[in-house]
Amino acid sequence: MSTVQYAMEYLLSGSIVVLAILICLCFVRAVKGPRIADRIVAVNMIGTLTIMIICVLAVYLKESYLVDVAIVYAMISFLAVVILCKVYTGVYLERKKKEGDR
């Protein structure tokens, strides 16, 4: 193996580790977040970072099917965030309606 291949391997491995640490930090924000909006953004960020890890693994392992997995995961993550936003909007409108009735 040449020096460039070793450097590429260390770069990809390091980027996976950094992305995993960022996922852990986003998970803390999703649990601790003071508002619902912070939690939704953190969940969206976790999905995006997971997609990035899958894509880096596709390059690292030289497996092109992992890119297809990342695309499917992106669609599922998008739907999850849309559903979370819909639920949040419903809760917000319900609270506003209760406050208006007082």
Side-chain angles (χ1 to χ4, degrees):
M1 255 198 240
S2 69
T3 308
V4 174
Q5 289 174 337
Y6 279 125
M8 181 82 159
E9 185 175 325
Y10 286 127
L11 177 69
L12 293 174
S13 300
S15 65
I16 290 174
V17 170
V18 169
L19 290 170
I21 291 169
L22 289 174
I23 286 176
C24 292
L25 293 174
C26 286
F27 184 73
V28 169
R29 175 52 65 191
V31 171
K32 188 180 174 186
R35 295 177 301 197
I36 300 287
D38 294 330
R39 292 183 173 122
I40 291 173
V41 170
V43 168
N44 190 19
M45 191 67 184
I46 289 171
T48 303
L49 291 171
T50 304
I51 293 165
M52 291 172 61
I53 286 178
I54 294 171
C55 290
V56 170
L57 278 174
V59 173
Y60 185 72
L61 299 174
K62 296 179 180 84
E63 297 289 342
S64 62
Y65 72 89
L66 287 175
V67 177
D68 297 332
V69 172
I71 291 171
V72 170
Y73 191 84
M75 287 187 275
I76 293 170
S77 177
F78 172 73
L79 286 175
V81 170
V82 167
I83 290 170
L84 284 173
C85 288
K86 181 72 174 165
V87 169
Y88 172 65
T89 304
V91 169
Y92 175 76
L93 292 175
E94 189 69 31
R95 281 186 192 164
K96 195 156 190 124
K97 184 179 178 183
K98 281 184 182 179
E99 288 176 5
D101 290 341
R102 289 183 181 179

